[in-house]
Amino acid sequence: MKYFICLLSIFLITGCGNGGSSSNSNLKATISVNNPTVSPGNTTNIVVTNSSNNVLINPFVRLDPWLTQIASNKNLEYPGLLLKGESYTFSFTLDNSESTAALIRTYYQLLLNNSTNGIIQANALNAHSAVNPTLTVNVAPDPLYLPLTEDILINADLWSDIPEIMSAGYAFEGIQGVPQGENYVIAAGGAWETVTTPNPPYRALTSAAAPSGISVGFGYPTYYADALPVVFSWPVLPSTVLPTDFSITLNTGEVVTPYVASINPNLEFNERSVVVLFGSFGNRLTPGTNGAIYPINVTVVKNLQLVGPNGPVSAVGLTKASTNAYESNSGPQLLAAKLSVMNIMGEGVGCCNAFSSGYPNNGVSYYGESNAQYRLRLYTSGGFSPDGVAAVLPTDFATFFRIQVTSSNGTVSWITQAGVPYSFPEGTIQVVGLADLGLAGSTLNDAYIEDFDNYIDIVLKGDVAAMRRITAVEIPASGGYKPFYNPGGPGNNPTPGVIYTSPGPYKLQPVTMAIDNPLTVSYGN
C-alpha cells in the first residue's frame, strides 16, 4: 500500500503524458494548522488540515533539533493523502522533568514567536508553503521568581481615590535580554558606562539585562526585548500578574501581547503598584518618522486585580495612552508625591530569596530613627537615573529636586539643600537625604547600584506643623539641576549614532498630605 501511495504521489507531482510536462503549480495544496499547546508533561497535538481543492500529499511536521531531542512518542509523518477538508493529527510528548521545563523556558520567547521562527512547522510534499502555527506555551516559571507571585502587601501606597493606570510608557527598546559583555551591549544599542571604581557590579556598567537575570525577575528569559512599565494607582495582586492580562496597540494597528510581566523591580511589600512588560513593541524612531513603530495604547484585558481600601477589584478595562521616551523631553517624570510619618512596615521582600540581598534600603536604615521622621515618597513613571545607567545617590537631593513650602499667607519658599534646617513660622524642616535606593551602608561612588524602581523617598525631619506647609516637590531639570533618564538613556559614554531615550521634563508635583492618614493598604500578610 505504501508503495502505491508513493507512486501516486510521484504521479500527481510530475504529471503524465507529454513527457510529464504538466504544470506542478496547479497541483499545489494549502494547509491550515490548529493552535497547539506546548507544555512539559503533556502531548502536543498538531492538527493539519487540507484547506484546498487539491489533494495534500505526505504531510509532515518538522521540529527544531533541540525540541526533537527532548520529545518522545513522536508521530510527525503521514505517508498518505489528505483530500479537501480532511485532517490528520501529528503529535509528540514532553516529559514532566525540571530539565525539560528549564529548556522550554529558555526557548519561551522563540516558541511564542513560532509563527516567524518555525520551531514547529507543518508542511507537505506539495504544500504551497510551510505553516508555522501560533503556539500556546504552558510552563512553570523559574522557581526563583515565585516569591514575586505571593499575595503579600504591607503598608502599600494608594496614589488615587480610584483604580486607574497613571502612566504607560514605552521605555527602552531591545536591551532586555542581552548576553553579558560590552560588545554585546553596544551591538544591541545599550549604553556602557565608564566606571573608575575597580571591579564594579555589572549593573553599574550597563542597564542592559542578561537573559538569566530576566528569568529570575520575570519568570522566563527574554532576548533583545523592549520594556513598558504600566503604573497603577493601587497595588496589584501579584498572583494575578500575567503577560496575557495586557493588550498593547501599536501605531501600525497591530495588537501585541507581552512576552513576560512582573512587579519587578517594584517588588517590596509596600510597593507593588507597577507591572513591567517586556515584549516586541517597536523601534527607536520617533513618531512621524517613516518606519516608526511604537505603542499607542495599553489595556488590561483580563485577570489582573488591584487591591484597594475594600480589598481586590478587577483591573479589566483600564486603559491608557502610551508615552514614548524616544520623543524629545519625554523621559521619566513624577506622577505623584505623598508626605507621611516615617513607617518602615513592608520595606523589603522578606528573607532568604533571590531578591532580598538589596535590602534594607529605607530611610531609617540609612539615617536612623531620630533623623528619619517623615517620608516624602515620590512615585515615578519609570526608573530614575542621572544618565540612563548610573544610580541616584542618597546625597543627590540638591542635584535633582526642590521642595516647595507655602505659608498660611501664600508666601512660597523653597528647600534646595540637604542637611540644612529651614525655618518657617510653624517650625523647621530639614532634608536628611534620599532613600529607597541601594543597600544601606553601601559605599557611595560610581560603582554604587540601587533598585532602579519607580519610588524614591525624600527623608525629612523637623516640626509637624511646618511639614504640613509642604505643597509640592519640583524637578527643575535645567538651570543647574540635572534631568532624569530611564534605563534606556545614553550613560556617560554614549556610542555615536545610537538613539537613546530622552531626559525627563520639568515637573512641579503637588504633594498629597498623608501625615494623619497614610493612605496605604495591606493584604494577605
Side-chain angles (χ1 to χ4, degrees), residues 172-187:
F172 32 102
E173 185 271 340
I175 61 172
Q176 296 307 317
V178 180
Q180 288 196 357
E182 180 177 0
N183 290 339
Y184 291 114
V185 169
I186 297 301

Side-chain angles (χ1 to χ4, degrees), residues 291-433:
I293 302 174
Y294 52 91
I296 60 172
N297 185 268
V298 177
T299 301
V300 179
V301 292
K302 58 182 177 181
N303 197 60
L304 185 70
Q305 295 183 53
L306 309 182
V307 179
N310 299 313
V313 299
S314 174
V316 174
L318 296 181
T319 189
K320 189 72 173 179
S322 176
T323 57
N324 187 337
Y326 290 100
E327 292 188 89
S328 178
N329 208 39
S330 296
Q333 61 179 295
L334 285 179
L335 298 175
K338 184 173 67 170
L339 179 63
S340 60
V341 176
M342 177 62 70
N343 185 342
I344 64 171
M345 287 180 60
E347 292 285 345
V349 70
C351 172
C352 313
N353 58 56
F355 311 97
S356 56
S357 61
Y359 305 100
N361 69 345
N362 60 77
V364 172
S365 66
Y366 283 13
Y367 307 112
E369 290 186 16
S370 61
N371 288 314
Q373 298 174 358
Y374 298 90
R375 179 176 67 192
L376 178 52
R377 170 155 281 192
L378 310 181
Y379 194 38
T380 70
S381 64
F384 269 22
S385 167
D387 60 15
V389 177
V392 176
L393 301 178
T395 54
D396 274 344
F397 170 79
T399 304
F400 298 102
F401 300 108
R402 300 198 306 170
I403 293 175
Q404 183 188 78
V405 181
T406 305
S407 69
S408 58
N409 65 7
T411 301
V412 172
S413 302
W414 294 95
I415 297 174
T416 60
Q417 298 293 321
V420 177
Y422 285 75
S423 297
F424 305 95
E426 298 83 359
T428 64
I429 300 174
Q430 179 176 328
V431 173
V432 180

Side-chain angles (χ1 to χ4, degrees), residues 485-511:
Y485 291 80
N486 68 31
N492 63 7
N493 184 30
T495 302
V498 173
I499 300 172
Y500 298 100
T501 55
S502 298
Y506 167 89
K507 185 64 181 287
L508 180 68
Q509 178 62 49
V511 171

Side-chain angles (χ1 to χ4, degrees), residues 175 185-186 189-195 200-208 383-392 445-452 484-494 500-501:
I175 61 172
V185 169
I186 297 301
W192 191 266
E193 194 87 345
T194 298
V195 177
Y202 189 74
R203 180 57 183 84
L205 295 167
T206 182
S207 53
F384 269 22
S385 167
D387 60 15
V389 177
V392 176
N445 54 30
D446 60 358
Y448 178 84
I449 57 172
E450 43 123 326
D451 57 10
F452 294 100
F484 285 109
Y485 291 80
N486 68 31
N492 63 7
N493 184 30
Y500 298 100
T501 55

Side-chain angles (χ1 to χ4, degrees), residues 94 99 104 179 200 203 207 228 237 359 371 395 470 490-491:
L94 299 176
S99 62
I104 297 299
R203 180 57 183 84
S207 53
L228 199 162
L237 194 62
Y359 305 100
N371 288 314
T395 54
I470 292 176

Side-chain angles (χ1 to χ4, degrees), residues 130-147:
V131 174
N132 307 329
T134 300
L135 303 177
T136 297
V137 187
N138 290 331
V139 60
D142 190 319
L144 295 175
Y145 166 73
L146 295 180

